[in-house]
Amino acid sequence: MKPSQPPAQGHHTLLIISAIAIAAFMSALDGSIVNIALPTISEAFDISTGLVSWVSTAYLLVVTSSLLICGKIADIRGLKKIFLVGFVVFTLGSFLCGFLPVALNSFGALIGARVVQAIGGAMLAAIAPAMVSTFIPIEERGRSMGLVVTFASLGAAAGPFLGGLLTEFLSWHWIFFINVPVGIGAVILGARVLPHHQPDAGRTAGFDAPGAALLFAGMMTGVFALNMGTAMGFTSPLILLAAGAALVCAALFVFHERRVEDPLLDLRLFRDRTFLYANLAVTLIMIAFAGSAFLLPFFLEYVKGMPTFSAGMVMTAFSFAMMIGGPVAGALFNRVGGRRLTLVGAVLAALAFVVLAGLQPETSVIVVAGALGLLGFAIGLYVAPNNTMVMNKVGAEKRGMVSSLLNTERYGGQSLGIVLFELVLIQGVLSIVSHAGVTSSSLASVTIDQKLAVLTAGFDMAFWVGAALAVLALGFSFLVKEEEVPAEMGEEVPAAVG
């Protein structure tokens, strides 16, 4: 390992944070900007809605499956190299997404280009927390992590609005072309301001290719089973085969990683209870967050009867509150400690879910927006301190690995949360209908109020599950022991070059 250098100071630190924030913003933006343009893309290629959904599904599959691999490569090759290569690949993939489908008149070309873009997106998403912990002085890390979470939230919130704007007034191609100038600017900025970084120059073991293959195959089949299980049926032979393959790959991966000299994921880290509990807690929070964000627009449109645009405006309360929670957490991190912030965040999230579970068709939109705002603020308050505490538990040589682990939990939690909340809603409605005797009556005799009451009860059950997950996350966060960062870890900030 190279000798430690004095940390970057002043405006240079701000430029470094800006580069990291752009990476977080673009990675999150591209996960949300595409969905609103899918109907237009479907019409352009004259394909079914099921087929066009692979524009989003392919991206999610590749990003989730590649994060840990990208994080390990960053530990080997250095964070700056992965940042620059990641943005180059992401920018190239974005250009190809907009250009190739028209040039070749091929929907398959769009999926292929989307895979290229996802590889670059995985590189960017994998290393953001690691870059904060490596390039930013320790006294600034809590605030910096809060800003990174804020920009990621901004990207996710801006995606639907920006995607709709570009698709409506230009064309769907511009949801990809817009990434090109931003990517070029990010490469120039990163090349100039990011410190040169080689955390593990003295390593002798080769890259864990078998572990990477097992991980990629396991994550790919597992995420596929989760995302497609609802549409195809979880008893479908293909879904059962994919789930079985994921379980086998997971077992082989654990067996292999415990014996390899330089593992892709060091499972010994989980022997530390603080590390284990903090990762479990944030995974639960991500599951609850993703599930609620998926169901709430349906509640607003189906139960409240709101137009799509109005429902989208109400949902912005969640995103904007989350953007406030991140900086607040960052500003308070050094003053009150990360553990207290996560406890408060989990309590507020549980309270927000309790309010959501009591919503009725006649509930005021202000109450709904208030509950969404409380939940968004709670998530923002929770994630940045938790991630900072997790990153502070490891040395520089494993920060890429742990950074990518946190983002794998985020993306994997999103997939699991959507499936879980959707299943609870569907099964809840079916159970209520059968026990209420609605099925014994003719459809003509079932009133609108009865239908709304049954549907509302189904949503309530799903939100109660969210409350239970938040309480469970609270319990794990309570068990986390916040520790001071060792001096040798806090001072490992490479000097700025350029």
Side-chain angles (χ1 to χ4, degrees):
M1 185 179 296
K2 292 184 178 181
S4 298
Q5 300 287 347
Q9 298 292 337
H11 74 282
H12 200 88
T13 300
L14 181 60
L15 291 175
I16 292 174
I17 295 173
S18 299
I20 301 171
I22 292 173
F25 176 85
M26 295 306 297
S27 179
L29 177 74
D30 219 68
S32 63
I33 195 174
V34 172
N35 290 345
I36 198 166
L38 292 183
T40 305
I41 297 174
S42 176
E43 293 178 7
F45 289 99
D46 192 23
I47 56 177
S48 67
T49 55
L51 185 58
V52 79
S53 68
W54 277 94
V55 178
S56 295
T57 302
Y59 186 87
L60 177 65
L61 285 174
V62 175
V63 169
T64 308
S65 304
S66 305
L67 283 167
L68 278 167
I69 298 171
C70 293
K72 184 60 179 180
I73 294 174
D75 284 335
I76 298 172
R77 304 298 298 173
L79 294 170
K80 181 175 182 177
K81 291 179 181 178
I82 298 303
F83 177 92
L84 296 178
V85 172
F87 251 120
V88 169
V89 173
F90 179 81
T91 304
L92 175 62
S94 298
F95 174 77
L96 294 178
C97 283
F99 175 76
L100 277 186
V102 176
L104 302 179
N105 191 27
S106 169
F107 177 72
L110 175 58
I111 299 300
R114 190 76 164 137
V115 169
V116 175
Q117 188 189 37
I119 294 173
M123 293 182 184
L124 299 178
I127 62 174
M131 293 174 75
V132 172
S133 295
T134 302
F135 295 151
I136 305 301
I138 186 171
E139 66 274 7
E140 296 291 332
R141 287 179 193 169
R143 182 180 291 106
S144 300
M145 195 73 79
L147 287 173
V148 170
V149 170
T150 299
F151 273 86
S153 304
L154 180 61
F161 172 77
L162 189 58
L165 197 66
L166 292 171
T167 303
E168 178 73 20
F169 294 102
L170 294 174
S171 72
W172 64 265
H173 310 86
W174 282 93
I175 64 176
F176 302 111
F177 285 145
I178 193 174
N179 295 333
V180 175
V182 178
I184 294 173
V187 170
I188 295 172
L189 177 64
R192 290 181 61 87
V193 307
L194 292 180
H196 291 296
H197 172 246
Q198 185 66 47
D200 205 7
R203 69 190 303 275
T204 57
F207 178 71
D208 180 18
L214 287 170
L215 176 69
F216 187 83
M219 292 295 296
M220 182 72 74
T221 52
V223 175
F224 174 84
L226 283 174
N227 277 270
M228 301 304 296
T230 304
M232 300 178 65
F234 284 98
T235 58
S236 164
L238 181 59
I239 297 301
L240 291 176
L241 179 63
L247 291 174
V248 170
C249 288
L252 292 175
F253 177 76
V254 172
F255 179 82
H256 173 76
E257 293 299 285
R258 294 179 63 182
R259 287 158 177 77
V260 71
E261 179 182 350
D262 188 12
L264 196 70
L265 176 61
D266 190 351
L267 299 176
R268 293 172 298 180
L269 291 171
F270 293 98
R271 295 176 184 174
D272 185 304
R273 293 186 176 183
T274 290
F275 186 88
L276 173 63
Y277 294 147
N279 279 280
L280 286 173
V282 78
T283 301
L284 293 171
I285 287 291
M286 287 295 102
I287 292 173
F289 153 67
S292 60
F294 172 75
L295 283 191
L296 280 164
F298 292 97
F299 175 86
L300 293 172
E301 293 184 36
Y302 294 167
V303 176
K304 295 290 294 176
M306 299 179 65
T308 302
F309 178 77
S310 299
M313 291 299 293
V314 174
M315 287 296 296
T316 60
F318 183 97
S319 301
F320 283 113
M322 192 172 176
M323 285 187 281
I324 295 172
V328 169
L332 295 176
F333 185 87
N334 290 334
R335 195 177 309 170
V336 303
R339 181 174 178 269
R340 292 180 180 177
L341 291 171
T342 58
L343 292 175
V344 173
V347 169
L348 293 179
L351 290 175
F353 276 114
V354 170
V355 176
L356 290 173
L359 296 180
Q360 299 297 321
E362 64 274 10
T363 302
S364 168
V365 173
I366 296 177
V367 174
V368 178
L372 287 172
L374 180 62
L375 181 59
F377 182 80
I379 300 298
L381 196 67
Y382 187 95
V383 173
N386 187 86
N387 288 359
T388 301
M389 290 191 296
V390 170
M391 294 303 304
N392 284 345
K393 291 292 295 180
V394 298
E397 74 281 358
K398 294 182 179 178
R399 284 178 183 157
M401 175 196 299
V402 175
S403 174
S404 61
L405 174 64
L406 289 169
N407 279 289
T408 300
E409 291 163 352
R410 177 165 68 93
Y411 280 94
Q414 288 178 2
S415 298
L416 184 56
I418 291 172
V419 172
L420 175 62
F421 275 57
E422 186 176 12
L423 285 176
V424 171
L425 173 64
I426 293 172
Q427 294 303 317
V429 168
L430 291 176
S431 176
I432 294 167
V433 166
S434 62
H435 285 84
V438 175
T439 54
S440 63
S441 306
S442 65
L443 290 178
S445 66
V446 179
T447 66
I448 295 296
D449 288 342
Q450 286 178 312
K451 293 177 183 178
L452 284 179
V454 169
L455 191 57
T456 301
F459 279 107
D460 290 346
M461 292 178 66
F463 293 136
W464 277 118
V465 169
L469 291 173
V471 171
L472 191 55
L474 174 64
F476 283 127
S477 296
F478 185 80
L479 296 173
V480 169
K481 181 180 179 183
E482 189 168 10
E483 302 170 0
E484 292 186 4
V485 183
E488 64 272 16
M489 289 173 60
E491 294 173 0
E492 288 179 349
V493 183
V497 178

